[in-house]
Amino acid sequence: MTVAVHVGPEPVPVLIEAVRRAGGRVVPLEEAEAIVFFGGGPDELRPMLHEGIRWVQLPSAGIERFADAGLISEHPLFTAATGSYGLPVAEHAVALMLAAARRLYRSARVETWEPKTSREFAGSTVAIVGYGGIGRVLMRMLEPFGCRVLAVTDSGEAPGADLVLPRARYREVLPEADYVVVLAPATPETRGMFGKREFELMREDAWLVNVARGSLVVTDELVDALRAGRIGGAALDVTDPEPLPDGHPLWGLDNVLITPHSANPPSSYWRGLTERVTSNVRRFGDGTPLEGVVSPSEGF
Ligand SMILES: NC(=O)c1ccc[n+]([C@@H]2O[C@H](COP(=O)([O-])OP(=O)(O)OC[C@H]3O[C@@H](n4cnc5c(N)ncnc54)[C@H](O)[C@@H]3O)[C@@H](O)[C@H]2O)c1
Ligand SMILES: O=C(O)[C@H](O)COP(=O)(O)O
């Protein structure tokens, strides 16, 4: 079946091309049965959802803005870009962990010769809290380092992991991990899932690596834990608030690495998104299950 797809509100040429590559027809909104949404938020999307729309493809992996606005439904069906950005985000997590282990965050800033304090990353214990699309790629990248991987996922399956626990038991991995990589979605359930209580469970030399969403971490309690030496450090690609304002205490702590939500650079973003669009337009046309379907009740 040829799918009639509207790409908007921004008619991005590479997305139009991705729809056509999959055999879809790019049409005005009134004639569309599917929307590849790009260029706005819930306020722009809501008025586009006329009764002929059966499917909406959202551009990011984290779709909390749309869930919080009450837009996610089964009819129309919503898909996210979950898993599409596995390679770049997993690579960024590895870069942050290596920089932490090798103390590059420190060496890059000092202007004097210092005693050696770095450690080896190979053989570390890495907890992946939210083992999904990105977590699966991270697992593969950790293999050559001989890491021990503790995975938190409700699926019960994480091939190669040394331990798999359901999300309700995520705190149990914290005392064992050298690095806790946060990869869960932003939902009401995950808001603040890393705060004082969780930092107290972590090892004093362990690093928190957040490449998911800032809302999962209670920022003030993280600052307290870092100042008190309760944990070794934090590497944050995402923060709450975001952007992190100038003068925020996190900027001044030397055991903190901050990147500006740059784990998924533009070239990787467009590659991941166009692949997801092509694959899902094809699947929609064939009547096969779509990738990245969002559950209205779960919010991811
Ligand atoms: N930094 C960036 O630029 C960037 C880019 C892409 C994605 N992200 C974020 O990374 C995260 C993961 O993306 P993904 O594509 O792997 O998504 P995904 O849906 O494939 O994986 C998320 C996993 O977390 C699990 N999960 C849900 N609730 C949980 C909980 N309470 N505790 C532990 N695990 C839980 C899910 O079951 C799923 O397996 C999302 O938060 C996304 O917004 C960030
Ligand atoms: O979740 C994602 O795909 C990235 O973090 C980008 O999300 P954003 O477009 O909502 O910032």
Side-chain angles (χ1 to χ4, degrees):
M1 183 186 90
T2 305
V3 192
V5 185
H6 179 71
V7 177
E10 267 183 47
V12 183
V14 288
L15 295 179
I16 290 175
E17 211 180 289
V19 171
R20 292 193 173 132
R21 201 179 311 128
R25 213 157 39 87
V26 177
V27 298
L29 181 61
E30 316 78 77
E31 296 168 30
E33 59 189 318
I35 297 173
V36 170
F37 184 75
F38 189 90
D43 292 344
E44 286 72 32
L45 178 57
R46 196 186 302 277
M48 294 171 73
L49 298 174
H50 65 69
E51 58 184 17
I53 298 297
R54 295 166 54 213
W55 162 48
V56 180
Q57 173 68 54
L58 297 172
S60 43
I63 52 80
E64 63 278 5
R65 285 187 297 159
F66 300 92
D68 293 348
L71 279 183
I72 304 300
S73 60
E74 268 171 34
H75 308 286
L77 184 72
F78 280 74
T79 52
T82 38
S84 299
Y85 309 129
L87 212 94
V89 181
E91 182 179 281
H92 200 75
V94 172
L96 293 173
M97 287 188 279
L98 288 171
R102 294 291 171 165
R103 285 181 71 87
L104 302 185
Y105 61 96
R106 172 92 193 149
S107 311
R109 289 171 182 168
V110 292
E111 293 177 25
T112 183
W113 197 258
E114 284 196 334
K116 295 176 194 172
T117 51
S118 66
R119 62 181 178 185
E120 200 176 66
F121 175 66
S124 297
T125 298
V126 178
I128 303 178
V129 180
Y131 178 86
I134 299 169
R136 277 190 283 280
V137 182
L138 180 58
M139 175 79 91
R140 288 205 308 270
M141 288 186 182
L142 293 177
E143 260 175 40
F145 291 103
C147 290
R148 185 168 164 252
V149 178
L150 318 174
V152 176
T153 167
D154 277 352
S155 75
E157 279 178 31
D162 296 84
L163 178 72
V164 184
L165 287 177
R167 63 192 189 195
R169 294 177 58 189
Y170 77 98
R171 290 188 184 86
E172 292 176 38
V173 300
L174 304 181
E176 292 188 48
D178 297 302
Y179 301 90
V180 175
V181 184
V182 184
L183 274 171
T187 65
E189 179 196 332
T190 62
R191 171 164 281 282
M193 69 189 279
F194 288 93
K196 184 171 187 287
R197 178 179 169 198
E198 290 70 32
F199 303 136
E200 276 166 6
L201 289 171
M202 285 171 63
R203 294 166 41 152
E204 279 190 4
D205 59 354
W207 274 64
L208 182 79
V209 178
N210 189 4
V211 286
R213 282 291 186 265
S215 65
L216 277 62
V217 174
V218 185
T219 305
D220 291 349
E221 296 178 11
L222 175 64
V223 170
D224 291 345
L226 290 163
R227 279 184 174 147
R230 193 47 223 96
I231 62 173
L236 310 168
D237 185 53
V238 288
T239 55
D240 179 22
E242 189 174 304
L244 195 66
D246 290 356
H248 191 282
L250 278 175
W251 289 119
L253 296 173
D254 77 350
N255 51 348
V256 173
L257 263 171
I258 298 166
T259 53
H261 204 141
S262 58
N264 188 18
S267 56
S268 322
Y269 175 82
W270 289 114
R271 184 191 63 227
L273 183 56
T274 52
E275 283 175 6
R276 173 57 51 90
V277 167
T278 301
S279 163
N280 270 349
V281 170
R282 241 178 230 139
R283 285 163 177 264
F284 193 82
D286 293 347
T288 49
L290 301 186
E291 293 177 317
V293 173
V294 185
S295 151
S297 56
E298 291 270 36
F300 66 89

